[in-house]
Amino acid sequence: MKALLITAIASMALLTISCMENGPNKDGSESGAIFPKGELGPTENFTGKAWNTGLVANDSIYNTVVGNVYFEPRARSNWHIHPSGQILVITDGVGFHQIKGQPKQTIRKGDVVKCPPNVEHWHGASPNIGLQQMYILPKTEKGIVKWLQPVTDEEYNKK
Amino acid sequence: MKALLITAIASMALLTISCMENGPNKDGSESGAIFPKGELGPTENFTGKAWNTGLVANDSIYNTVVGNVYFEPRARSNWHIHPSGQILVITDGVGFHQIKGQPKQTIRKGDVVKCPPNVEHWHGASPNIGLQQMYILPKTEKGIVKWLQPVTDEEYNKK
């Protein structure tokens, strides 16, 4: 009986480890992520740690740039503008998207949000849960991005 | 001791169920999928079951169409052409992409593949594992898709 109990407990432990290793990426962390973590975004454009992986580089055939950003909890982009707008596809975690002059919007796995051309916006992770988000930049012949000022803690925390 | 053993086994069972419920979407099935399953693709354009979810509808601002297709095992699109090409982002499972005149290419979670404008191609799931794939269609002012003939079993099975 004792041997059985030890076997059962050992199996539980193994199962727990296996479950964690293959677990879904609900917190936006690396576990189960679709893309590599990528490169740390520069401090002049991001507050906190945001990791970027380029997926489609700009060219004159598709005129589209695609990539993935993993924002660690509380990390966010500066305010910025895209000359042809931006489409965000949230693949995991929880975060925020805010268009200048509008309330902060909570974004979650499966959400798709758009920011129109030449409109200031920022995006990033929620305070406690990271965010995995793909970005799609269309019509790149008009430009890619113009970086602006950081999102202050007051702006980030505002309900 | 017996009570402990029963508790341990019961915990294992619960953990197993929890692990399965939250398991990753490695087989391209619905479990853990990012997007809803969507609508069944029409038999005139698909062999087997392929489910489409539109994510970004066409408009004159972004001129970009985005969506997700879940191909059940062996399901595939017909041969088809996009006037401005197509970008595929594989978010789960295993499948194939073939450009006319080139060998069939195996595609997996995390892969990004492009098909140039006006080139015949097809995509779909592997024989035993389904495929979750996002599609991005740029420059839609030139058109969206021209559907062609089905992919025969001989073409699908060819190594």
Side-chain angles (χ1 to χ4, degrees):
Chain A
M1 183 69 91
K2 196 172 175 183
L4 247 176
L5 182 59
I6 290 167
T7 308
I9 289 169
S11 303
M12 267 182 68
L14 281 172
L15 193 62
T16 307
I17 290 164
S18 157
C19 199
M20 284 167 68
E21 279 180 347
N22 296 314
N25 193 25
K26 288 201 171 155
D27 63 353
S29 71
E30 278 182 283
S31 161
I34 298 165
F35 309 108
K37 194 169 182 178
E39 294 190 2
L40 193 58
T43 52
E44 61 263 38
N45 300 333
F46 294 91
T47 300
K49 288 186 176 170
W51 306 81
N52 178 65
T53 298
L55 297 174
V56 176
N58 193 23
D59 67 24
S60 59
I61 300 173
Y62 304 91
N63 287 105
T64 299
V65 166
V66 183
N68 187 72
V69 179
Y70 165 49
F71 289 96
E72 294 188 9
R74 292 197 76 80
R76 66 263 190 182
S77 73
N78 280 15
W79 288 98
H80 58 288
I81 283 170
H82 301 286
S84 300
Q86 183 175 51
I87 298 161
L88 300 177
V89 180
I90 315 309
T91 58
D92 217 339
V94 182
F96 303 125
H97 176 243
Q98 186 173 21
I99 289 175
K100 196 84 171 181
Q102 294 183 17
K104 194 173 67 178
Q105 176 187 10
T106 299
I107 51 179
R108 297 169 191 279
K109 181 176 176 176
D111 286 346
V112 177
V113 292
K114 293 189 275 191
C115 180
N118 295 313
V119 169
E120 278 188 48
H121 76 148
W122 67 269
H123 31 120
S126 69
N128 300 313
I129 302 178
L131 181 75
Q132 292 276 3
Q133 56 123 85
M134 283 180 52
Y135 56 87
I136 301 169
L137 296 168
K139 299 179 173 181
T140 54
E141 68 277 12
K142 294 186 184 171
I144 306 275
V145 62
K146 184 186 167 193
W147 287 106
L148 303 168
Q149 71 284 2
V151 173
T152 64
D153 283 349
E154 194 184 343
E155 287 173 318
Y156 178 81
N157 292 327
K158 194 172 180 185
K159 297 289 175 194
Chain B
M1 182 68 94
K2 197 173 175 183
L4 247 176
L5 181 59
I6 289 166
T7 308
I9 290 169
S11 303
M12 265 182 69
L14 281 172
L15 194 62
T16 307
I17 290 163
S18 156
C19 198
M20 284 168 68
E21 278 179 347
N22 297 313
N25 194 23
K26 288 201 169 157
D27 64 352
S29 72
E30 278 181 280
S31 162
I34 298 166
F35 309 107
K37 195 171 183 178
E39 293 191 3
L40 193 58
T43 52
E44 60 263 37
N45 300 334
F46 294 91
T47 300
K49 287 186 177 171
W51 306 82
N52 178 66
T53 298
L55 298 173
V56 176
N58 193 24
D59 67 23
S60 59
I61 299 173
Y62 304 91
N63 288 105
T64 299
V65 165
V66 183
N68 186 72
V69 178
Y70 164 50
F71 289 96
E72 293 189 9
R74 292 198 77 81
R76 67 263 191 183
S77 72
N78 280 14
W79 288 97
H80 59 288
I81 283 169
H82 301 286
S84 299
Q86 183 176 51
I87 298 161
L88 300 176
V89 180
I90 315 308
T91 58
D92 217 338
V94 181
F96 303 124
H97 177 242
Q98 185 173 20
I99 289 175
K100 195 86 172 180
Q102 295 183 14
K104 193 174 67 179
Q105 176 187 10
T106 299
I107 50 179
R108 297 169 192 281
K109 181 176 177 176
D111 286 346
V112 177
V113 292
K114 292 189 275 191
C115 181
N118 294 313
V119 169
E120 277 188 48
H121 75 147
W122 67 269
H123 30 119
S126 69
N128 299 312
I129 302 177
L131 181 75
Q132 293 275 4
Q133 56 124 84
M134 282 180 52
Y135 55 88
I136 302 169
L137 295 168
K139 298 179 174 182
T140 54
E141 67 276 13
K142 294 185 184 173
I144 306 275
V145 61
K146 184 185 167 192
W147 287 105
L148 302 168
Q149 72 283 2
V151 173
T152 64
D153 283 350
E154 194 184 342
E155 286 172 319
Y156 179 81
N157 292 326
K158 194 171 180 183
K159 296 289 176 196

